[in-house]
Amino acid sequence: MTGLILSNPGSKAKEKSIDCKDILDRHHLTYREIGHYYRVGEARPIFGWIFHLSIIRSQLIQFLEIIIPILLQKKVSYFEIVRGKETAKFMLDGNLGYALIGKLICVYPKDQLEAIYLAKTIIEIGVHFRGPAVPTDLQLNNILYTCYSPIRLLEFDAQLENQSHQNNLEEENEFTIPFSFPKNVHWPFAEIKSPIDKPLKKLLNNLYKPIKVIKPDAKGRVIKCLYFKNILSIKSCIIKEGKYNMWSDALGRDIQDRILWQSELYNRLGNKIPMPRVFDKFKENDDLYLAMEFIKGSSLEERINSIHLGNGWVNIINKNKLLLIQYLIRILDVVDKLHMLGIVHRDITPTNFILTQKNELFLIDMELAYSLNDNKPSPAFKLGTFGYMSSEQYLGQEPSFKEDIFGLGGLMAFLFTGLPPVKFDTNNVEVLKEQLHFFCPCQEITHAIANCLNTIPQKRPNIAEIREVVNNCQLDLKKASKNDKAKSITSPPTPEQLRNLINKAIAGLTDAEVFTKQHLWPSLSIQKDKFIGNEQVELNLSPSLYSGMTGILLILAQAKKLNYDIEDSIEGYYASWEFLQDSFLKSPSPDFTPSLYDGAAGIGIALQEGITSGLLKNNKENIEYLKNCFSNISETLEMCSGIAGQGSALIASSHILDSNFVNILLEKYTDIILNNQYTDGSWNVIRASGKRNEKIIGLSHGVAGIINFLLSHYSLFPSNHIKESIQKALNWLITNANKKHGNYYWPLTNKSKSINYLSYSIGVPGIAALFIKAYDILKEPLYKKVSEGALQLLPNFPVNADYSQAFGLAGIGEVYLEAYRIFQSPEWKQKTDFILNLFESTTLTNSNTSCYWSMNSTPNKLTSLMTGNCGIIHFLMRYQNPQFLGFPFG
């Protein structure tokens, strides 16, 4: 263990019962909730240097008990403390942004005298406390960090209550990571510390030269380095970094404790288990580094994906199935050896095995492992990987070998289906067996996987029983024909079963995890921090048709028109419209984008569907709101945020708007697009950081989306000049296509080699859908040939973790549905049925009356249209009602 934890016999119980807010209340302080903080005091002129106090979670309450009385005694009337222990955890772990790490307490001195006094006081009381480094600040001592803010707030601005702390005070300024001293600013803390830090060294431990960050992470990077052992020996190695005081748990153990434990296990097991050799361990600037052998190869996850190639088990040739079985047998041997040595790995996942080019297998990442012989570490380190982590491990119960059996079940599920285990319903063994059987017809295997994933540890098999089943599967495959492929025998659900599935999925939209107390649907935003690789998760109320509440409202209105049960969602439907009306429709902000995906045009589509379905009144007020959705003309041309998207929304609304209003606007939209078309047929849809004349091709952001709008316009109001423009643009697409065996496919741009075969939004499926539409309207046989040829290059029966409309299987399903509707070929019906059956076979149950789908490789419940469950619901409704429902928005 690193560092000293202050405690008393009752401190643990006390911390469980007391949170940050309780301490403020006890001192009768008035405070406001601002973003991630409770703010005490009114903003006023502040001294430029501000303090951030970084404290590990296990010491936070204890430190607040000490520091708040001191701040009050010294009449420091303006400070902030983190909103609670859970927020503190996210902040300390880097999940709220790299720039916020460590900033649990923010203190704003009024002048230099107060700043110096406070600094000395905090240093004195903080001597036995610890916390991670604050990336934007200079460390004064131990837990105390400072940075400079030139802002002078003269009075409290009530508008700040609606802004996150990241838009406030020093976060409004440009900061540097790492800290750099501001120009022409006096340093008031000279008697405490010099502001000049030592220059960063080019070599770690004078032996290792970093050449590539393999995995950026707030808690510590994984770095590929050159190891200069001597002049004649320079080798590649991997260095795992443990940042100072990061990832501290309730006992004060941090990432460095985990790395030290991992190092001990590597040294203890290195001659018995195939794993990288550890040859050095050192500290620099309080950070810990573990140097180990570089294993050149790929993860098992990458190898499995390269064999599946987007296909399920039934469409893999036997040679490749046998190769996967061989990998699995060797993994069983490795885990069995670990267990004989008394070690539970506790993170058996496809990413924690590496395969070399010679197919040598290595086990990596022993960070969560537990020794049953030594009862070490005590208690075991928490958590693991969702889908591979048993319920008892998630709850922090005493480890056992059965945890690894569950992990093996998750790994086998991925190996035999091509999908991560979070896709399947592991709460019901019998349901799980049926789900797995759709992907893998070998009942012995599917039953073994389901039993491994049993929520009751005692009912899971042992490794010998798993090995017997896997060996039998291997023998059966060897007996089969060389290229024999198993056939899926699953039939599509009956109309009644499908209607019931849709109704349950709609009911799932109101699950407590995806619904606020105000009956609104928040958007889950997951982004990468620009400084680190950690995902930043944020919930917000978004008007986006693409990923916000407006897309959900669109689906509910369509469901109402098709007589599905939306009763559970009615309260949320009207609450959401009230929110949109108050926030955007009554007095539109000049900053509110006119775009289809994230702005006014998207709200317009949902509004007209609400009126058409009868959920919203067809009155003067709502029609005026609808017109206002088209009050600004975009400055760009593409579908997602430009004129093509506005035009598509206007056409969808044309049946309830005044024809003169529609015609005038459509003419404006079309004139702008035609006047900006190049002689080669393309438009200026370029990537900001792309090559010269590099034009985006796909449906959402590129040329295809503009053509899609023109086709819709032409179908309503045929004219020769629009037709000529369309034909010229389609010819440009054909000219810029690649060909394979006479089939067409497109890169992401006309200068790119990157190709996406799964994304309706940016890839080949969306362009194929465009040519289907072009054939349907213009009846040109070449367009049918191009579209069907493009679809032939997609996986025959695609299996992919992404289920979304924008980038995954729901979008491909929509394209197959349209191909079958227009061309009436049984091939497209068969492929549509497969995707329908895949969704049915990966349904997750909330209750007897509601269900949902994991949209990617995480268990997050996403509800949105283009990235969430509503996209699947739309596909299912369209499958059942192809004559009444088209693509989500044109």
Side-chain angles (χ1 to χ4, degrees), residues 301-314:
E301 180 182 57
E302 292 170 327
R303 193 68 63 90
I304 290 173
N305 284 332
S306 71
I307 290 174
H308 275 271
L309 286 175
N311 294 292
W313 181 261
V314 295

Side-chain angles (χ1 to χ4, degrees), residues 154-169:
L154 299 179
E155 58 183 7
F156 184 83
D157 184 355
Q159 293 180 355
L160 289 176
E161 292 187 26
N162 298 319
Q163 298 177 4
S164 107
H165 188 264
Q166 289 174 312
N167 294 327
N168 195 10
L169 297 174

Side-chain angles (χ1 to χ4, degrees), residues 803-832:
Y803 281 10
S804 69
Q805 279 276 348
F807 301 106
L809 297 185
I812 294 178
E814 299 269 4
V815 179
Y816 284 155
L817 270 172
E818 190 69 359
Y820 178 64
R821 186 182 75 86
I822 300 300
F823 304 141
Q824 290 296 302
S825 168
E827 174 184 8
W828 309 122
K829 176 66 163 59
Q830 184 184 17
K831 293 184 177 184
T832 307

Side-chain angles (χ1 to χ4, degrees), residues 493-508 564 835-845 849-853 869 872-873 875-877 880:
T494 65
E496 183 179 354
Q497 289 171 332
L498 181 55
R499 176 167 288 274
N500 183 50
L501 177 62
I502 294 169
N503 283 332
K504 288 176 68 174
I506 293 171
Y564 293 104
I835 293 177
L836 171 64
N837 288 332
L838 184 147
F839 287 148
E840 186 188 34
S841 298
T842 52
T843 304
L844 302 173
T845 303
T849 57
S850 70
C851 67
Y852 70 101
W853 291 269
N869 274 244
I872 297 178
I873 294 171
F875 164 74
L876 298 178
M877 292 195 304
Q880 193 161 49

